């Protein structure tokens, strides 16, 4: 599994601020532009603090480190702003690549080189370390770099794109949602980003239609 969540204990402050139903870090990150394909997309990363909160929710940062990074961002607003701009630049490149894969069309010309820039940056800030029974990527200390959370995100995208799990990347079947997720279900027939949200809404709509039909016939 390329999923960076794998084996990682996510310590979230309750309640998490982001809805994480992508089952892969990179896909959850793409989903931070909510309602992406509607007339009113909703940006969930409106400040550097939002980016830090995403990193905390996804277990990339411990809560106390997140607080320290937010404080650093406040002390260096220009650098924080450029870290946020870089995050969105990376996210949109990732989005283009994954949607090209989903739509089985060529990847837009600039998307892969952009993603690669961040993947290279991630590689420069990471090293292999020995863990108890295996090896893992360890990234440089996040507190020294405002854009540090982009490294594991870019790496997650690269790992997923280069893996045999790529075929299980799906978009939510709700046309107004279209959030991306990695279908890790046993039979690979998951249709919704979140059954309790989009799934239930769709079920409710079907129920409502049937009711209306029944009423019309009676
Ligand atoms: Zn959905």
């Amino acid at each position: 599994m390329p999923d960076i969540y794998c084996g990682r204990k996510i310590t979230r402050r309750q309640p998490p601020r982001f809805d994480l139903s992508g089952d892969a870090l990179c896909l959850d990150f793409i989903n931070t532009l909510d309602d992406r394909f509607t007339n009113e997309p909703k940006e969930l990363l409106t400040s550097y603090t939002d980016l830090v909160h995403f990193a905390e929710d996804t277990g990339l940062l411990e809560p106390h480190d997140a607080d320290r990074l937010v404080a650093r961002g406040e002390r260096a607003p220009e650098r924080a702003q450029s870290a946020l701009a870089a995050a969105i630049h990376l996210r949109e490149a990732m989005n283009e690549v994954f949607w090209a894969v989903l739509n089985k069309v060529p990847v837009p010309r600039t998307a892969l080189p952009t993603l690669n820039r961040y993947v290279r940056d991630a590689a420069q800030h990471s090293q292999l370390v020995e863990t108890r029974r295996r090896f893992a990527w360890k990234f440089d200390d996040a507190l020294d770099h405002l854009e540090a959370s982009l490294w594991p995100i870019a790496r997650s995208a690269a790992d997923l794109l280069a893996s045999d799990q790529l075929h299980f990347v799906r978009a939510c079947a709700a046309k107004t949602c279209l959030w991306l997720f990695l279908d890790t279900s046993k039979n690979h027939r998951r249709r919704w980003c979140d059954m309790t949200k989009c799934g239930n809404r769709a079920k409710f709509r079907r129920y409502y239609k049937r009711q209306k039909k029944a009423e019309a016939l009676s």
Side-chain angles (χ1 to χ4, degrees):
M1 281 285 293
D3 183 2
I4 194 145
Y5 292 153
C6 215
R8 183 189 283 269
K9 185 173 165 284
I10 297 182
T11 51
R12 287 178 199 148
R13 230 186 303 228
Q14 291 299 328
R17 287 146 294 206
F18 286 83
D19 192 350
L20 305 172
S21 43
D23 277 327
L25 174 63
C26 53
L27 302 181
D28 278 331
F29 192 62
I30 290 173
N31 295 341
T32 59
L33 183 61
D34 198 12
D35 299 335
R36 179 181 281 278
F37 297 102
T38 69
N39 292 332
E40 289 176 40
K42 221 180 309 139
E43 179 57 80
L44 305 182
L45 300 179
T46 59
S47 65
Y48 178 70
T49 302
D50 288 337
L51 177 62
V52 173
H53 286 165
F54 176 84
E56 187 194 333
D57 279 1
T58 50
L60 299 176
L61 288 172
E62 295 290 337
H64 60 276
D65 286 341
D67 290 343
R68 287 165 71 187
L69 264 183
V70 167
R72 277 183 201 193
E74 282 166 0
R75 284 199 301 274
E78 278 180 22
R79 279 177 47 217
Q81 199 55 39
S82 73
L84 175 66
I88 290 180
H89 189 221
L90 167 63
R91 183 189 67 191
E92 294 312 300
M94 280 164 43
N95 176 66
E96 287 189 337
V97 175
F98 278 101
W99 270 100
V101 171
L102 276 173
N103 290 332
K104 298 186 173 64
V105 296
V107 174
R109 202 174 47 84
T110 57
L112 200 55
T114 300
L115 172 56
N116 265 325
R117 255 178 48 202
Y118 291 94
V119 171
R120 269 199 298 275
D121 202 30
Q124 263 162 12
H125 288 283
S126 62
Q127 55 183 316
L128 270 179
V129 291
E130 217 174 335
T131 59
R132 271 178 100 185
R133 257 175 271 147
R134 43 180 285 195
F135 295 85
W137 288 109
K138 186 176 183 301
F139 294 95
D140 293 351
D141 192 349
L143 291 178
D144 297 333
H145 305 267
L146 291 186
E147 72 287 6
S149 33
L150 306 191
W151 305 330
I153 291 169
R155 170 122 218 142
S156 160
D159 286 351
L160 182 52
L161 286 165
S163 81
D164 54 10
Q165 300 285 303
L166 183 60
H167 305 295
F168 301 126
V169 172
R170 314 247 188 274
C172 177
K175 288 288 168 259
T176 51
C177 174
L178 294 173
W179 269 23
L180 299 183
F181 61 87
L182 183 64
D183 181 2
T184 54
S185 67
K186 227 180 194 169
N187 55 10
H188 297 296
R189 291 178 63 188
R190 178 175 157 193
R191 296 189 61 212
W192 314 103
C193 66
D194 187 336
M195 190 60 208
T196 62
K197 293 183 187 138
C198 290
N200 273 349
R201 270 202 294 274
K203 261 163 101 179
F204 176 76
R205 268 198 305 274
R206 281 200 296 274
Y207 171 79
Y208 184 78
K209 265 190 191 162
R210 274 202 306 273
Q211 284 291 102
K212 282 274 147 205
K213 216 170 165 184
E215 274 170 33
L217 289 172
S218 64

